[in-house]
Amino acid sequence: NSINGTGGNVTSIINVNNKNGTKMDNAYWNGEMMFYGNGNTAFTPLAGSLDVAGHEMTHGVVQNTAGLEYQGQSGAINESMADIFGSLMDRDDWQIGDDITKTTYIPSGALRDLSDPHNGRTSLSQNGYQPKTMSEYYTGTDDNGGVHINSGIVNYAYYLIANTIGKDKAEKIYYRALTTYLTSQSQFIDLRKAVIKSAEDLYGNVSTETFP
């Protein structure tokens, strides 16, 4: 029932430039509406991507449900939820931004890949690379403690589940986890527990969906 759950307007602003007038290589949710730049060195117009639009709208849904704080692990879960539901709105693949990412910026032609967070790259210094498992977890302070970086770990965990039980069931589980169990300061372990509990609620304690 809209982004806020109460039938609110869904407002998107396109052709957005940076404050200094240069072309914007980004799209974002500002707490009230979505803004889409026309791209520059990395992207073509970002409004041309369904999964990017889904990503930004999901930030609004997160704000109006779990309210995940945009810092550290809770922020990485926030970013991952936006990727997960963005990919579910354009569900033919596991990529984000594959319609608008320039191969001169990321050779794979996608901004992120839930099935392979490394995205064809080999290190964090390369555009498009994300950690895949906790052994690669970023511990620095950049990017609000790695919200866009460590979201790759959560994305990959979702991919493993959805690839096993199917997207139709996985999306129900993750939406219930987001709207029923997660809170503003939830960490990765809390997401794991929320996903398991949501699967139990929907499919039973000893189901394949709960323990794929």
Side-chain angles (χ1 to χ4, degrees), residues 1-152:
N1 189 11
S2 188
I3 288 173
N4 63 0
T6 58
N9 291 332
V10 179
T11 305
S12 297
I13 310 297
I14 64 170
N15 300 321
V16 179
N17 288 327
N18 294 310
K19 290 182 179 180
N20 62 4
T22 58
K23 293 181 179 180
M24 179 178 287
D25 241 350
N26 195 16
Y28 63 93
W29 162 262
N30 78 336
E32 296 181 4
M33 60 189 74
M34 286 75 65
F35 295 80
Y36 299 91
N38 286 330
N40 191 359
T41 59
F43 308 112
T44 59
L46 285 97
S49 174
L50 176 60
D51 48 38
V52 169
H55 174 103
E56 302 307 338
M57 290 184 187
T58 303
H59 276 310
V61 175
V62 170
Q63 176 181 309
N64 285 283
T65 55
L68 289 157
E69 292 183 0
Y70 207 64
Q71 179 69 40
Q73 289 193 5
S74 60
I77 297 171
N78 189 325
E79 275 297 324
S80 180
M81 287 291 175
D83 276 354
I84 288 168
F85 288 105
S87 74
L88 283 163
M89 292 177 213
D90 184 11
R91 65 201 294 133
D92 293 337
D93 55 48
W94 300 100
Q95 296 177 319
I96 297 292
D98 50 308
D99 294 319
I100 50 88
T101 301
K102 296 180 179 180
T103 55
T104 52
Y105 180 67
I106 302 175
S108 70
L111 175 60
R112 289 186 286 275
D113 188 339
L114 281 69
S115 67
D116 176 22
H118 291 171
N119 202 9
R121 311 297 257 169
T122 57
S123 74
L124 191 57
S125 64
Q126 296 175 307
N127 296 326
Y129 176 95
Q130 290 181 298
K132 187 175 182 178
T133 65
M134 286 300 292
S135 65
E136 300 168 341
Y137 184 79
Y138 172 74
T139 58
T141 58
D142 290 345
D143 184 34
N144 288 339
V147 297
H148 291 93
I149 299 171
N150 290 322
S151 60

